[in-house]
Amino acid sequence: MSLKPLAEQTVVVTGASSGIGLATARMAVERGARVVLVARDAAVLEAEAARMAERGGKAAVAVADVGERAAVEAAVAKAVEAFGGFDTWVNVAGITIYGELWRVEERDHERLMRTNFWGTVNGSLAAVEHLRDKGGAVVNVGSVASDLAFPLQGMYCASKHAVKGFTDALRMELLQEGAPVGVTLVKPASIDTPLPHRARNYMDREPTLPPPLYRPEEVAEAILHAAVHPRREIYVGGAAAALSGLKAAAPNAYDLLAPAISTFERRGERPRDPEGALHGPKNGGQVRGDYPGPVLRSAYTRAGLNPVATTLLATGASVAAALVLGRRRR
């Protein structure tokens, strides 16, 4: 399908008060798009919109808890009021919990699913109602956890599995209807955002993310590419594609990585903030986390956004899979 150039679009971004959402909104404005910032933290959003305006950008604010459908509908109305509508809707809003599944309180499990899964559902369905006739894009930010799981964040992984299933079904139904709406799932590896600081934490210290970590701007680049050139899925970070491939090819071997993943998650030395931002806005306004190691660009992702490189990568993956299967048969 043919979509508008980014500079001619209005882009709605949920989870726009920090991390990937904030990085995406800033990058979109820098490239000439009008942006609607959606999150729970009014003060952070207003300050960011003012900053964008000072630099010549156009931004509107919609304070909303994406877990509530009425609040998402109000964000749609704000986009219509401010800019006459929108062309791309990006579902980024998400949170995590650190702790064994049996230790986490039911209300915390439910709140995570309300934000991560139902927030994506609410945003996607509201966006489709607006876009199904005129066309546009829905971009959902899943995770490498959409394909696999890891310990101490079990319900987060469950929510990202659910996001993938919902996104795939939504794409199929829109194709069946012939609606000109692109639907893309973006699946990042570990990204250097404030996610660990904002998590609900049952551990005895603040967690860290397992390496390698990539820049939030790498995810923003993939999201904005999908706003103009819809793709089925985009992995951000070669590590995401590699881990997903390992899980698919050798699930039992992947499960054996659990102790190593847990060790990395427990390596933090800072005192923990047990409540985090699960039940209310907190610690917003930052794109980056404070990971002490190297934070990478993703040559894999940048190459994959190029059509020629994508074909070569797909061909190489098919050849590799054929070789593996051939060896197994022998």
Side-chain angles (χ1 to χ4, degrees):
M1 63 186 66
S2 177
L3 301 182
K4 295 179 183 178
L6 187 64
E8 298 177 13
Q9 289 198 29
T10 295
V11 180
V12 180
V13 183
T14 76
S17 62
S18 69
I20 293 168
L22 182 53
T24 302
R26 287 177 176 175
M27 187 178 289
V29 167
E30 288 168 2
R31 296 181 180 182
R34 301 168 296 277
V35 173
V36 181
L37 308 168
V38 182
R40 297 172 297 175
D41 197 325
V44 169
L45 295 186
E46 293 290 355
E48 186 61 31
R51 173 184 175 277
M52 290 174 173
E54 288 173 1
R55 300 187 177 191
K58 295 181 179 179
V61 167
V63 179
D65 180 341
V66 296
E68 302 297 330
R69 182 62 184 264
V72 173
E73 296 288 358
V76 171
K78 182 66 177 182
V80 172
E81 174 192 341
F83 301 119
F86 58 88
D87 305 285
T88 295
W89 184 288
V90 185
N91 288 304
V92 183
I95 196 72
T96 193
I97 300 171
Y98 283 89
E100 290 83 357
L101 285 164
W102 53 83
R103 293 184 58 202
V104 176
E105 296 177 8
E106 183 178 350
R107 67 186 290 267
D108 290 344
H109 280 320
E110 291 179 344
R111 176 67 254 191
L112 182 146
M113 291 299 292
R114 173 60 55 185
T115 299
N116 293 12
F117 176 63
W118 285 106
T120 299
V121 171
N122 291 337
S124 298
L125 296 182
V128 164
E129 286 303 309
H130 183 82
L131 298 173
R132 70 183 336 129
D133 293 326
K134 72 168 192 170
V138 175
V139 185
N140 292 337
V141 177
S143 166
V144 66
S146 296
D147 295 345
L148 49 85
F150 31 86
L152 301 178
Q153 294 185 74
M155 197 56 68
Y156 173 83
C157 297
S159 73
K160 294 301 184 178
H161 274 61
V163 164
K164 182 181 187 304
F166 166 78
T167 302
D168 287 348
L170 177 65
R171 184 188 304 108
M172 294 170 70
E173 291 178 0
L174 289 170
L175 284 169
Q176 183 177 4
E177 186 179 281
V181 181
V183 179
T184 299
L185 180 65
V186 177
K187 299 193 287 190
S190 293
I191 306 296
D192 183 30
T193 71
L195 181 72
H197 313 328
R198 294 164 55 79
R200 173 76 169 97
N201 188 4
Y202 284 75
M203 302 195 308
D204 59 359
R205 64 185 69 185
E206 186 170 281
T208 60
L209 295 168
L213 266 67
Y214 297 88
R215 301 163 66 248
E217 291 79 9
E218 300 301 298
V219 190
E221 192 76 51
I223 289 169
L224 296 182
H225 180 88
V228 181
H229 308 288
R231 296 266 296 276
R232 180 186 179 82
E233 295 181 345
I234 303 174
Y235 286 104
V236 179
L243 285 171
S244 179
L246 172 61
K247 172 63 166 58
N252 291 335
Y254 173 79
D255 289 349
L256 296 177
L257 295 177
I261 296 171
S262 294
T263 297
F264 277 116
E265 290 178 312
R266 296 181 187 275
R267 284 197 317 173
E269 297 179 355
R270 293 169 46 149
R272 72 183 182 126
D273 174 6
E275 296 303 319
L278 181 65
H279 293 285
K282 193 174 186 179
N283 301 327
Q286 300 296 318
V287 169
R288 299 285 187 92
D290 58 359
Y291 181 69
V295 178
L296 309 176
R297 295 177 182 270
S298 177
Y300 173 90
T301 301
R302 299 294 180 113
L305 299 181
N306 179 293
V308 175
T310 300
T311 301
L312 293 174
L313 286 170
T315 302
S318 298
V319 170
L323 290 173
V324 170
L325 289 172
R327 287 172 185 164
R328 286 183 177 176
R329 285 170 184 158
R330 287 197 296 269

